């Protein structure tokens, strides 16, 4: 077991700690046998498109007053509107990977190749070095492997391949799940295998922790559990003398229990045999969607970011009762964490938010509809830290605080408290969208002449 120590005076989290609740757990009822050995369904071919980027290109300075590395930050004008990424213009991209805590991003092609760009001071790009990448570059380690997914955190990354999951970057709290090299300043610059014997189909990275979903639908977690974000009914605190210790979980731990709470009686009931299909992570909080379309959240609950009408931290996954599986009006289709809140889309394509979400500075501890987008059919959401993007119908929509072009609306628009269109790409259908630290990624469909004409008018980012 590994521990990190901090002075008690410095032990406070970024936001005030909320009251922590312990729930008595019971053994999962034969959860290992739920899948009945069923073979995985044949995955449909993913649509591919052209990746676009806007926002700051000064990767070292994103969210900082000065660079923490010896290399000089670039003096380059932000991409005020979405631009085509030159290095990826000749390949077909099926997935763009960005995260609300991350100043680096990945791109996966239809051939299973992995490209990355951005901050790399902890080796989070997996290049075997700590050299910043201003333009997209193929990651050599994965040349002979087929990449099927990836996730990015503050300074670490997880890459999923057909033959296993790999971690690289910061590992001070064991967030890579590789079982070794843990402690202050620990980094991994060349990808190392995650210590999970099962195939991982989905992953999410937070500030200093990681979630893994196996092909059988089992949920695992690794890293820091300071606010309960690992979902294992433990916040990892240990006090000795005047020091506060936090347990570092360097090997993925199974999340066995999922609960629901009656809003009137507050009675807590365990939900048996929950299988997960998707996970997302914010700074210190998480969400998961089950195969039955139930939505669960847990971890730090400042500003009500878990959606349970409280601000108490949850140490185990608790169901968000607003979304009801089987109800076409309130069944959840998409859900993702922002840095300090959550967004979700129901089966009708309506967008909901809770926690801190930069909409008119609104904070709410339960899901509420984003009225400015009422009537729009939302295809995808890209929640970030200070800004967010939405792909709806044939428009790309952004809102929030921004100073370096991440809203994609030109140099005259530095922030927008209300959702507004990125006019330069209006008319393009976006397959995916993502928001990272001070930058935005879009994946544009180019399967008709009108889309190709719009793309021809865009600037090219040739870093």
């Amino acid at each position: 077991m590994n521990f990190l120590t901090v002075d008690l005076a410095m032990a406070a989290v970024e936001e005030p700690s909320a009251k922590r609740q312990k729930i008595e757990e019971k053994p999962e009822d034969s959860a290992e046998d739920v899948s009945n050995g069923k073979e995985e369904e044949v995955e449909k071919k993913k649509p591919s498109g052209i990746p676009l980027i806007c926002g700051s290109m000064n990767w070292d300075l994103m969210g900082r007053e000065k660079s923490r590395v010896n290399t000089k930050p670039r003096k380059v004008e932000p991409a005020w509107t979405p631009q085509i990424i030159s290095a990826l213009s000749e390949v077909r991209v099926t997935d763009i990977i960005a995260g609300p805590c991350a100043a680096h991003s990945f791109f996966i092609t239809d051939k299973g190749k992995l490209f990355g760009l951005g901050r790399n001071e902890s080796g989070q790009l997996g290049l075997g070095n700590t050299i910043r990448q201003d333009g997209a570059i193929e990651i050599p380690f994965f040349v002979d492997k087929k990449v099927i997914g990836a996730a990015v955190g503050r300074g670490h990354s997880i890459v999923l391949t057909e033959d296993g999951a790999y971690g690289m970057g910061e590992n001070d709290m064991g967030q890579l799940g590789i079982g070794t090299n843990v402690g202050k300043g620990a980094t991994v610059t060349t990808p190392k295998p995650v210590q999970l014997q099962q195939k991982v189909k989905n992953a999410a990275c937070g500030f200093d922790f990681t979630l893994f979903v196996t092909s059988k639908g089992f949920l695992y977690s690794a890293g820091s559990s300071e606010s309960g974000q690992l979902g294992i009914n433990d916040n990892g605190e240990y006090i000795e003398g005047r020091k506060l210790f936090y347990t570092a979980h360097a090997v993925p731990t199974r999340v066995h229990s999922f609960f629901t709470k009656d809003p009137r009686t507050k009675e807590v009931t365990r939900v048996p045999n929950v299988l997960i299909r998707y996970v997302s992570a914010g700074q210190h909080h998480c969400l998961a969607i089950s195969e039955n379309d139930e939505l669960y959240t847990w971890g730090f609950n400042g500003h009500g970011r878990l959606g349970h009408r409280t601000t108490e931290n949850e140490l185990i996954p608790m169901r968000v009762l607003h979304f009801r599986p089987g109800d076409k009006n309130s069944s959840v289709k998409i859900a993702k964490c922002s840095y300090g809140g959550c967004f979700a889309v129901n089966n009708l394509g309506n967008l909901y938010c809770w926690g801190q979400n930069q909409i008119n500075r609104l904070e709410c501890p339960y899901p509420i509809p984003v009225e400015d987008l009422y009537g729009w059919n939302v295809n995808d959401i890209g929640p970030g830290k200070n800004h967010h993007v939405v792909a709806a119908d044939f428009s790309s929509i952004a809102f929030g605080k921004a100073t370096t072009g991440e809203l994609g609306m030109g140099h005259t628009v530095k922030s927008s408290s209300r959702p507004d269109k990125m006019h330069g790409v209006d008319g393009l259908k976006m397959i995916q969208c993502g928001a990272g630290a001070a930058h935005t990624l879009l994946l544009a469909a180019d399967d008709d002449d009108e889309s190709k004409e719009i793309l021809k008018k865009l600037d090219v980012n040739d870093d």
Side-chain angles (χ1 to χ4, degrees):
M1 183 177 292
N2 297 277
F3 300 89
L4 291 183
T5 62
V6 294
D7 290 328
L8 281 176
M10 302 296 293
V13 294
E14 180 186 50
E15 301 181 64
S17 295
K19 179 182 177 182
R20 293 182 171 90
Q21 180 183 14
K22 281 276 189 177
I23 301 294
E24 181 179 355
E25 296 188 61
K26 298 179 181 179
E28 192 79 1
D29 295 337
S30 61
E32 296 292 339
D33 299 323
V34 174
S35 64
N36 296 320
K38 292 190 298 183
E39 295 293 329
E40 295 182 55
E41 296 182 3
V42 177
E43 187 176 347
K44 295 180 180 179
K45 184 178 180 180
K46 286 185 176 181
S48 61
I50 304 297
L52 311 176
I53 189 169
C54 61
S56 174
M57 300 294 117
N58 289 314
W59 305 103
D60 292 339
L61 292 180
M62 288 180 177
R64 301 170 174 171
E65 293 183 0
K66 61 180 181 179
S67 175
R68 295 181 183 176
V69 294
N70 294 328
T71 57
K72 293 183 178 180
R74 296 200 302 162
K75 294 183 179 180
V76 61
E77 184 76 4
W80 295 105
T81 56
Q83 299 178 356
I84 294 173
I85 301 173
S86 176
L88 299 173
S89 61
E90 300 298 325
V91 298
R92 304 298 303 174
V93 172
T94 58
D95 291 281
I96 53 176
I97 314 298
C101 299
H104 66 290
S105 296
F106 288 115
F107 307 85
I108 303 173
T109 74
D110 60 345
K111 305 298 183 183
K113 304 302 180 183
L114 183 70
F115 289 76
L117 83 169
R119 192 178 291 170
N120 190 39
E121 60 200 35
S122 298
Q124 56 262 51
L125 292 181
L127 295 169
N129 57 47
T130 57
I131 301 172
R132 179 188 72 224
Q133 292 300 319
D134 297 327
I137 182 174
E138 186 172 2
I139 311 302
F141 181 88
F142 297 100
V143 167
D144 297 326
K145 305 178 185 298
K146 185 174 182 180
V147 176
I148 59 175
V152 291
R154 175 189 59 175
H156 74 290
S157 308
I158 298 294
V159 176
L160 312 180
T161 72
E162 286 192 335
D163 64 352
Y166 295 83
M168 56 265 203
E170 290 181 357
N171 197 39
D172 55 332
M173 293 301 296
Q175 55 262 51
L176 298 184
I178 61 175
T180 59
N181 192 28
V182 181
K184 185 177 181 180
T187 60
V188 174
T189 61
T190 299
K192 301 294 183 184
V194 173
Q195 296 302 298
L196 261 175
Q197 299 304 314
Q198 303 176 48
K199 181 178 179 180
V200 179
K201 66 178 181 180
N202 183 232
C205 296
F207 198 72
D208 51 8
F209 68 96
T210 304
L211 306 173
F212 305 90
V213 180
T214 70
S215 58
K216 292 184 177 181
F218 301 151
L219 176 62
Y220 289 80
S221 58
S224 171
S225 187
E226 183 177 342
S227 299
Q229 61 265 42
L230 296 192
I232 56 176
N233 203 23
D234 182 14
N235 62 14
E237 289 185 356
Y238 177 77
I239 298 176
E240 184 178 287
R242 294 187 58 82
K243 299 286 185 179
L244 178 63
F245 295 75
Y246 287 105
T247 304
H249 295 265
V251 175
T253 302
R254 172 82 183 275
V255 179
H256 283 281
S257 300
F258 299 79
F259 287 79
T260 184
K261 183 186 296 184
D262 188 294
R264 289 170 295 184
T265 65
K266 307 302 181 184
E267 181 181 357
V268 175
T269 306
R270 189 178 65 87
V271 182
N273 301 327
V274 175
L275 298 177
I276 300 301
R277 65 177 172 88
Y278 177 83
V279 286
S280 178
Q283 181 196 19
H284 295 124
H285 70 293
C286 317
L287 67 77
I289 304 176
S290 74
E291 291 187 354
N292 294 327
D293 294 334
E294 297 169 330
L295 178 64
Y296 294 86
T297 59
W298 66 98
F300 182 64
N301 198 22
H303 305 284
R305 65 193 65 187
L306 300 184
H308 300 309
R309 296 179 180 268
T310 71
T311 56
E312 295 181 354
N313 291 359
E314 295 289 355
L315 305 181
I316 52 175
M318 194 72 68
R319 186 178 160 197
V320 179
L321 298 177
H322 178 90
F323 298 100
R324 300 186 296 275
D327 186 334
K328 68 177 182 179
N329 296 317
S330 62
S331 180
V332 67
K333 181 174 68 173
I334 306 170
K336 295 181 182 180
C337 292
S338 65
Y339 192 83
C342 295
F343 286 88
V345 180
N346 67 9
N347 276 345
L348 297 178
N350 297 325
L351 182 65
Y352 289 78
C353 68
W354 58 96
Q356 287 182 310
N357 290 298
Q358 305 299 332
I359 303 177
N360 297 328
R361 297 184 179 179
L362 181 65
E363 297 175 2
C364 190
Y366 54 87
I368 58 173
V370 180
E371 295 182 355
D372 290 291
L373 293 178
Y374 185 78
W376 290 75
N377 181 34
V378 176
N379 305 317
D380 195 19
I381 46 180
K385 181 178 182 180
N386 296 318
H387 80 289
H388 315 291
V389 291
V390 175
D393 296 323
F394 284 83
S395 295
S396 298
I397 298 165
F399 52 93
K401 300 176 183 178
T403 57
T404 53
E406 53 265 49
L407 296 183
M409 300 175 188
H411 67 278
T412 60
V413 181
K414 301 297 177 66
S415 64
S416 177
S417 61
R418 303 180 72 89
D420 201 359
K421 293 181 181 180
M422 299 182 190
H423 299 290
V425 292
D426 203 29
L428 282 176
K429 180 180 179 180
M430 296 301 172
I431 300 169
Q432 295 175 19
C433 59
H439 71 289
T440 296
L441 299 180
L442 303 168
L443 183 60
D446 62 341
D447 50 4
D448 59 65
D449 292 338
E450 184 176 352
S451 297
K452 291 176 181 177
E453 287 300 316
I454 296 173
L455 288 166
K456 284 181 182 179
K457 299 176 183 178
L458 300 183
D459 292 334
V460 175
N461 187 295
D462 57 3
D463 286 315

